[in-house]
């Protein structure tokens, strides 16, 4: 498409020059107007389906998983590139992570090294498991945006077979497409780096590792500039945050839901803050919620497939691990309060997960799916919250519409 666009521009310029030099009246030619720069394409389509095919060719059976396609290139190259679909959109973490098996064998990416000069590896610990692999350098292309020469976590890299105990602990390994339910993840939280100054100042278990020969890995410090980071911050423009827009869906869910991932807030005509309320966050990226008389911390995480919170009055499912299964749909009110004092009451519905899945086997999106707290004493605003809303995530260190990030808005 770029070659075609360039060719059309050349042809148009030739026509303009031919017309401008015509007439034969000896007068001064009319100057060609300076073209108005066009805004960068900043919208990437989101698809919520059953996930990528696994190595056995089976569907991933994912629900409430928002996916995008990204293009990975060797740094500085426009020819050694690969487009990878089913990359999970995650506002609860920072950084681009790709399952190694999703990369073509012909895709060569340079390794990122630890300060010791040894190959660098990383451990990413999520609420439900851990992912281990190398760190390499790549260019990311998504919509019309480009993040050049960023650090990328390559999960399940066979060149790094030994997982340190400080990474795995008692968590379940999520190093394959089947266990990750995605070909990778694009983390776009309010934080720029995934670890930040803590990892720059000391070697922390469960983060970055120096691995001579890919083995005998030991925890290492890592400068902020080379850490795996939110790629949005590396864009030349539209780099202060994101917007996720998803349509409303019914109580029985829906199949093949599509939406938009929009880059930038207040940088173009299509990403204005408008009438959305802004909720500023604390240094941990959380705000306060009031639920059933209890005050707790909350975070917004599009990578979580349900609303996760503790409520002993809602029965847990017997065969849908982690989800709630009330006898009938229950409704609760939750009050969000930002650090800036802005509050909003959100009404949520929690349906019986077993019934939802059994009665709607082809549906992959549900707005009433919930479960027990994945992180104790926290309220996880997972993907059900995003349906029917435009949810803004503003990066730390930025000021958007007069308000300093980090914040969320909706």
């Amino acid at each position: 498409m770029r070659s075609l666009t360039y060719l059309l521009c050349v042809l148009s310029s030739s026509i303009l020059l031919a017309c401008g030099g015509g007439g034969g009246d000896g007068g001064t030619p009319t100057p060609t107007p300076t073209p108005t720069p066009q805004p960068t394409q900043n919208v990437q389509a989101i698809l919520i389906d059953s996930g990528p095919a696994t190595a056995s060719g089976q569907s991933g059976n994912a629900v409430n998983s928002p996916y995008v396609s990204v293009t990975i290139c060797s740094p500085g190259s426009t020819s050694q590139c690969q487009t990878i679909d089913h990359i999970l959109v995650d506002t609860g973490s920072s950084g681009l992570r790709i399952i190694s098996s999703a990369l073509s064998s012909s895709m060569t990416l340079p390794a990122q090294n630890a300060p010791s000069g040894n190959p660098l590896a990383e451990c990413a610990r999520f609420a439900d498991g851990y992912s281990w692999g190398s760190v390499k350098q790549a260019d990311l292309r998504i919509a019309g945006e480009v993040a050049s020469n960023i650090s990328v976590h390559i999960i399940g890299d066979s060149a790094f077979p030994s997982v340190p105990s400080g990474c795995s602990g008692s968590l379940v390994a999520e190093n394959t497409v089947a266990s990750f339910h995605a070909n990778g993840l694009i983390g776009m939280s309010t934080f720029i780096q995934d670890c930040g100054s803590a990892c720059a100042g000391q070697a922390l278990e469960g983060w970055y590792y120096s691995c001579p020969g890919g083995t005998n890995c030991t925890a290492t410090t890592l400068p902020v500039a080379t850490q795996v980071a939110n790629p949005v911050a590396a864009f030349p423009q539209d780099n202060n945050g994101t917007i996720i827009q998803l349509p409303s869906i019914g109580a029985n869910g829906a199949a093949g839901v599509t939406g938009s991932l929009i880059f930038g807030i207040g940088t173009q005509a299509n990403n204005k803050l408008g009438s959305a309320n802004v909720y500023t966050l604390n240094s941990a990226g959380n705000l306060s919620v009031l639920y059933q008389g209890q005050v707790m911390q909350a975070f917004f995480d599009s990578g979580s497939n349900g609303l996760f919170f503790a409520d002993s009055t809602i029965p847990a499912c017997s065969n849908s691990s982690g989800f709630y299964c009330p006898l009938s749909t229950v409704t609760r009110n939750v009050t969000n309060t930002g650090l800036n004092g802005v509050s909003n009451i959100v009404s949520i519905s929690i349906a019986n997960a077993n019934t939802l899945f059994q009665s709607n086997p082809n549906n992959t999106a549900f707005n009433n799916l919930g479960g027990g707290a994945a992180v104790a004493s926290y309220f996880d605003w997972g993907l059900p919250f995003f349906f029917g809303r435009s949810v803004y995530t503003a990066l730390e260190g930025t000021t958007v519409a007069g308000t300093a990030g980090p914040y969320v808005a909706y």
Side-chain angles (χ1 to χ4, degrees), residues 90-92 188-191 240-244 265 273 275-282 284-289 298-302 336-344 346 379 381 385-386 389-396 398 400-401 403-410:
D90 184 25
T91 59
M188 300 178 298
S189 74
T190 57
F191 296 111
N240 58 3
T242 59
I243 310 167
I244 292 178
I265 301 174
L273 195 58
S275 60
N277 290 324
V278 171
Y279 305 84
T280 55
L281 308 176
N282 62 22
N286 303 323
L287 49 64
S288 173
V289 301
F299 54 94
F300 295 80
D301 183 8
S302 62
N336 285 327
T337 302
L339 208 62
N340 55 354
V342 176
S343 292
N344 172 248
V346 181
F379 196 106
W381 287 111
F385 175 83
F386 290 73
R389 291 185 170 94
S390 294
V391 181
Y392 300 70
T393 301
L395 282 171
E396 61 179 343
T398 64
V400 185
T403 302
Y407 69 72
V408 296
Y410 59 88

Side-chain angles (χ1 to χ4, degrees), residues 298-370:
F299 54 94
F300 295 80
D301 183 8
S302 62
S304 292
N305 62 359
L307 305 174
F308 294 103
F309 55 96
D311 189 331
S312 61
T313 68
I314 307 178
C317 298
S318 58
N319 60 350
S320 292
S321 178
F323 291 118
Y324 284 136
C325 281
L327 295 178
S328 59
T329 298
V330 299
T331 301
R332 298 282 191 267
N333 288 331
V334 187
T335 302
N336 285 327
T337 302
L339 208 62
N340 55 354
V342 176
S343 292
N344 172 248
I345 298 175
V346 181
S347 179
I348 63 173
S349 294
I350 302 298
N352 186 301
N354 284 343
T355 302
L356 284 176
F357 299 151
Q358 293 168 9
S359 302
N360 309 281
N362 296 320
N363 288 351
T364 55
F366 300 94
N367 62 7
N368 46 11
L369 193 61

